[in-house]
Structures are given as structure tokens and as C-alpha cells.
Amino acid sequence: MRDRRLHLHLATWLGQWPATAGLHVVGSWRRSRPAWDGRLRPAIAVTAGASTVLSVPPDRVAVVRELAQRPDGLLPALPAAVGQPGWAVHDDVFRWSLAPAPLPEVGEWISPTTLGLPSWLRLFDRPVLVVRDDRGRYLAGVGIKRHDRFGHELAVGTVPAARGRGLARRLVAQAARRVLDDGAVPTYLHDRTNVASARVAEAAGFPDRGWRSYGVYPS
């Protein structure tokens, strides 16, 4: 059943999954509507092995498929092709976990409107998992991006003074267990050059399976 969660998430989030080898440009109404934070994500792709599904708005499929005939020019031209020429293409490692690391719990679930939280956590509309010091000051936190009912992406951040304590990995593992309990699969994306985030993911039970994701996001 848990393996099916990932399949259902990708099929729902992208508009098609799985796919045969090669690049498959598909249309999805989700690319034309606000995502979890109220902002558009007009292009999202997931690559697994030799197969890539690139999801774009239905009215942009034809132009993106034409660009895909010239693979070397696809990514630079993708923002303009989906109607956002000033936005950037983000290239990430795509991870998921069915067995989060059995790390001890460390945080508390609180409202994202709680005073003292960083601005990125205030984007969420449901409780976030946070660690605070004995004076109530924010140290680290995780938010859950609920892309659809089957897949929830985790985002984590730690203030510089609290890094190196293992807080991020414990928070990610704890949040992942909640996502699984809620019937979804937890995912974790990070920039391919972000070594620290990669270490957090590995320690929390999110192995690098060689999957990648790229997309056009707000700058």
C-alpha cells in the first residue's frame, strides 16, 4: 500500500505516472492553479532512471514538446515557454521515505502564526513542527507542503547558531512519521549542491535513489 502512495502522488501531482524511457511532456490543470503556498508552479518534472515526466499547463504542452526536441535548449527556455520568463529553473534531488529513521522526537506542533517564527514557516496553513530554546526562541522547524492527498513534501530550516546538534534530522524523521500516519508518502527535495541538506535527508531515512526533479518556480 505504501508503494502505491508514491505512485498515486506522482500521477496526481504531475498528471501522469509512470512513463516509459524518455521525456514525456504532459498537461495538468494543477500547473495553472496556485500551489500549497498560493503561488504558481507552472512546470514540474520528476526523473526516475531513464524516464522523465514534465508537467506543464495544458495550453503549453505543444510549445514545450517542440522545445523538447532540442534537449540542450529546453531548460533555459522553459520559464518563457510556460509564461514566466523572469522565473528560474530549480534542479533538485527528489527523495522519499517509507521508513523514517527511528530518531527521538524533539519538536512541538504549533500554529504557523505563532510569534517568533521565520517568514518561510508562516507560509503554511497548518501546524508546523518547531524546536525552541528555553526562552522560546526559534531554533529549527519543519513545514509540510501538502501537494495532494497522497504526497506531502517536507521543508526544514535551522538557525545558524543551532546547527550541528542533529535537530533537523530529528524533525524531518518525526514529521515523516506523521505524514505516513496520515496516509501519504513523505518526500524531500533539495538542491543538488546542498551538501548539508543531503546529509539531513540521509540521516532522517530519505536515501538518494538517483531520482531528480526540476521545475519553474518563483524566484
Side-chain angles (χ1 to χ4, degrees):
M1 178 62 183
R2 288 180 174 179
D3 290 333
R4 185 166 173 76
R5 297 179 195 181
L6 180 65
H7 172 95
L8 291 172
H9 163 49
L10 294 173
T12 303
W13 191 40
L14 301 175
Q16 174 182 312
W17 194 267
T20 55
L23 172 62
H24 303 265
V25 180
V26 302
S28 172
W29 59 267
R30 291 175 180 272
R31 304 289 79 77
S32 302
R33 298 190 184 180
W36 65 275
D37 59 355
R39 298 184 292 178
L40 292 174
R41 300 294 191 278
I44 296 176
V46 173
T47 297
S51 174
T52 298
V53 173
L54 170 56
S55 176
V56 299
D59 63 343
R60 301 285 175 164
V61 170
V63 66
V64 174
R65 282 180 177 167
E66 184 176 347
L67 282 174
Q69 302 304 311
R70 300 177 280 113
D72 292 342
L74 174 61
L75 293 188
L78 189 56
V82 294
Q84 300 294 341
W87 290 9
V89 176
H90 295 254
D91 186 7
D92 296 318
V93 177
F94 182 97
R95 301 172 183 253
W96 78 91
S97 178
L98 303 176
L103 301 173
E105 297 190 352
V106 67
E108 58 179 335
W109 295 95
I110 63 174
S111 169
T113 61
T114 302
L115 292 177
L117 296 186
S119 59
W120 69 272
L121 275 178
R122 293 199 294 272
L123 292 172
F124 294 88
D125 62 356
R126 301 191 193 186
V128 294
L129 182 60
V130 170
V131 176
R132 294 181 287 186
D133 66 15
D134 54 8
R135 296 174 59 184
R137 294 174 299 190
Y138 170 85
L139 298 179
V142 165
I144 300 177
K145 304 176 184 179
R146 292 173 172 83
H147 295 306
D148 51 64
R149 62 176 293 193
F150 307 108
H152 299 167
E153 179 188 344
L154 306 181
V156 63
T158 306
V159 299
R163 291 172 185 164
R165 305 184 192 177
L167 296 178
R169 65 185 62 180
R170 292 169 66 183
L171 287 171
V172 169
Q174 183 176 341
R177 290 192 288 270
R178 168 169 282 203
V179 170
L180 287 167
D181 289 344
D182 288 344
V185 60
T187 64
Y188 185 109
L189 278 66
H190 64 85
D191 187 278
R192 296 172 69 174
T193 64
N194 192 332
V195 176
S197 191
R199 289 174 177 166
V200 168
E202 292 286 346
F206 287 74
D208 184 353
R209 297 175 170 88
W211 287 37
R212 298 291 180 265
S213 176
Y214 62 86
V216 175
Y217 296 166
S219 301

